[in-house]
Amino acid sequence: MTLAVSADLPVLLWGEPGIGKTAALTQLAEAIELPLTTVIASVHEPSDFSGLPVVGDDPAEQGVPMAPPDWAVRLVRTGRGLLFLDELSTAPPAVQAALLRVVLERRVGALRLPPGVRIVAAANPRSSAADGWELSPPLANRFVHLQWTYDHDVVVRGLGGTWPKAALPRLDPGQLPDAVTFARRAVCGLLTARPGLVHQLPKSEGRRGGAWPSPRSWEMTLRLVAFATAAGASREVLSMLVRGTVGDGPGLELLASLDRMDLPDPETLLADPESAVLPERGDLRQTVLDGVVEAVRKRPEQSRWDAAWALLVLALETGAPDLVVVPAATLASLRRDDWQVPAAIERLSGAVALPRRADRAGER
C-alpha cells in the first residue's frame, strides 16, 4: 500500500468489516506526515463530489459554477493530504459515477486537488457490506486493488501495546531511469506477444468490480513495476501490486515475463559453458535449457552441440534430473552424421534415454 501511495496511484483496500483498514490509514497518514481527510462515500450525494451549482448575479453571462465541498477546499488550501474514501462499496451507482473524476482527474467541482494529495479508498465485499453495491467497472479500473487481511500475532501484539509502524519505501534516484526502461520493456514485450491482454472487460458483474486489464491499468502497472524495481521491493509485494491492477491472470503472465527477462542469453552460455550459472528455479532452468537447444537448432555446429551437452551435464549435477530429459532428447536428434559424440553423454545415460542414433554413435 505504501509503495502504491508513493507512486501516486489510487489504492482500494478490500476486507471484511473491523479488521483495521481505517486504523491502518490513520497510521499511514501519521507515518508520511500527511493530514488525513476521511469522506464516507455512502452518506454523500453525487453533488458532494461533482459540485453544487451556485447561481450568481447573471447566470447567462457568468454561467453557473460548481461549488466544491468544504473538505476539498481544505485540501486545496493545505496543498497536501491523504484523502480516504471509506465505505466505497456501499455508495450507490450515482455517487460512484460522481467519483470518477475525483479518482482519476483529481477534480472536485471546479477545484483540482493539488499534486500533494494521495487517494486511498476502502470497501467491504458485497456479502458483508451494509446494503452493498457492486463497484462499477469504470471506477474499479481506476484503482490498485489490495486484499486487506489481518495477522493473528500482529493483532495480539498490537492489543498489548505494540502495533507495527508503516514505513515508506526508499527509492534509489540513480536506479529510477533504468527501472522505468525495465518496466517499459516488460509490459510492452508482454502485450506485443499477447495483444489480447491489452483490454479484457470481465464478463461477470462481480469480476468487473475488481482488477482487470485495460490501457489505463497497464499504465498503472508500468509505474508500479518501475517504482518497485527502484525501491528493491520483494517479489511478493510486486506480485500483489501487479495482480491488484490488471488481475490475476495477466498479472501472473507479466511476472513470468519479468523472470524470463533476467534469464541468461543462450548464446552467452554456449560461448562459455564452463562458467555458466543456471537459474535455481526449475521452471526458469527448463526455459533456459530449451532456449539453448533452440539456439543450436537455428545454427547447428559441432562446437555448439558439444557446448549444449556440457550445459545439460551441469543442469543434471546441480538440479533435478527430469529437467534434462526433453532437452537431451531434442539435442540428440540434431546430431549430424559427421559429428563426434562427446563423452559428456555418458554422464547423462543414467538419467535420460537417448535416441537410438546417439546410442549407436556412442558405442562406435
Side-chain angles (χ1 to χ4, degrees):
M1 180 178 67
T2 58
L3 186 60
V5 169
S6 299
D8 195 16
L9 293 176
V11 181
L12 176 55
L13 304 179
W14 289 93
E16 299 295 337
I19 62 173
K21 300 186 297 294
T22 304
L25 262 294
T26 302
Q27 188 203 110
L28 175 62
E30 295 176 356
I32 60 181
E33 298 180 349
L34 287 179
L36 179 64
T37 299
T38 301
V39 178
I40 308 298
S42 58
V43 300
H44 283 267
E45 299 291 333
S47 57
D48 293 337
F49 300 104
S50 59
L52 292 166
V54 178
V55 179
D57 296 334
D58 191 353
E61 186 69 25
Q62 301 175 357
V64 180
M66 306 299 287
D70 61 336
W71 57 264
V73 175
R74 290 197 303 270
L75 282 172
V76 172
R77 288 176 178 173
T78 306
R80 53 198 296 272
L82 183 63
L83 174 58
F84 180 34
L85 302 173
D86 203 1
E87 303 293 344
L88 201 62
S89 56
T90 59
V95 174
Q96 293 187 26
L99 282 168
L100 293 177
R101 294 194 72 191
V102 178
V103 175
L104 185 63
E105 302 177 22
R106 309 296 175 91
R107 281 194 173 275
V108 184
L111 284 182
R112 178 185 289 274
L113 298 178
V117 174
R118 301 291 185 264
I119 297 179
V120 179
N124 301 322
R126 185 174 183 178
S127 59
S128 58
D131 193 19
W133 302 75
E134 293 290 357
L135 215 59
S136 67
L139 185 60
N141 197 237
R142 286 162 162 80
F143 282 104
V144 179
H145 298 254
L146 298 178
Q147 300 298 322
W148 190 263
T149 59
Y150 71 91
D151 182 90
H152 170 267
D153 294 336
V154 171
V155 173
V156 172
R157 289 197 303 268
L159 294 175
T162 307
W163 289 102
K165 298 295 183 181
L168 281 178
R170 295 185 178 274
L171 274 65
D172 185 348
Q175 293 185 4
L176 197 54
D178 292 337
V180 172
T181 302
F182 173 78
R184 290 190 186 280
R185 285 197 300 118
V187 173
C188 295
L190 174 64
L191 297 185
T192 299
R194 299 275 280 116
L197 294 179
V198 172
H199 187 275
Q200 284 186 349
L201 181 64
K203 296 181 180 180
S204 66
E205 183 181 3
R207 294 185 59 192
R208 289 182 180 182
W212 47 274
S214 71
R216 178 194 296 124
S217 59
W218 280 116
E219 182 180 4
M220 296 164 62
T221 301
L222 192 153
R223 186 186 299 189
L224 287 171
V225 172
F227 268 70
T229 303
S234 67
R235 181 180 178 83
E236 181 183 5
V237 170
L238 180 59
S239 175
M240 292 175 61
L241 291 171
V242 169
R243 291 185 292 112
T245 308
V246 293
D248 288 337
L252 291 174
E253 288 199 43
L254 177 61
L255 292 171
S257 67
L258 289 174
D259 290 336
R260 290 192 291 269
M261 289 175 61
D262 293 333
L263 296 182
D265 185 1
E267 294 297 337
T268 302
L269 297 176
L270 290 171
D272 188 10
E274 295 182 357
S275 303
V277 177
L278 299 176
E280 293 293 334
R281 278 177 45 186
D283 57 335
L284 301 183
R285 177 169 292 206
Q286 186 76 67
T287 301
V288 169
L289 296 178
D290 291 342
V292 167
V293 174
E294 184 62 25
V296 175
R297 182 197 301 275
K298 292 181 179 178
R299 186 157 62 92
E301 297 175 1
Q302 169 80 60
S303 59
R304 292 163 60 82
W305 195 66
D306 294 343
W309 283 114
L311 291 169
L312 291 183
V313 171
L314 176 64
L316 178 66
E317 294 175 344
T318 59
D322 59 313
L323 296 179
V324 304
V325 173
V326 174
T330 306
L331 188 61
S333 68
L334 299 178
R335 178 181 176 270
R336 303 290 176 86
D337 292 335
D338 58 338
W339 288 359
Q340 296 296 320
V341 177
I345 287 184
E346 295 296 332
R347 303 171 68 177
L348 293 164
S349 60
V352 295
L354 300 178
R356 292 180 179 179
R357 171 184 283 185
D359 285 341
R360 291 197 301 268
E363 292 173 1
R364 291 198 300 271

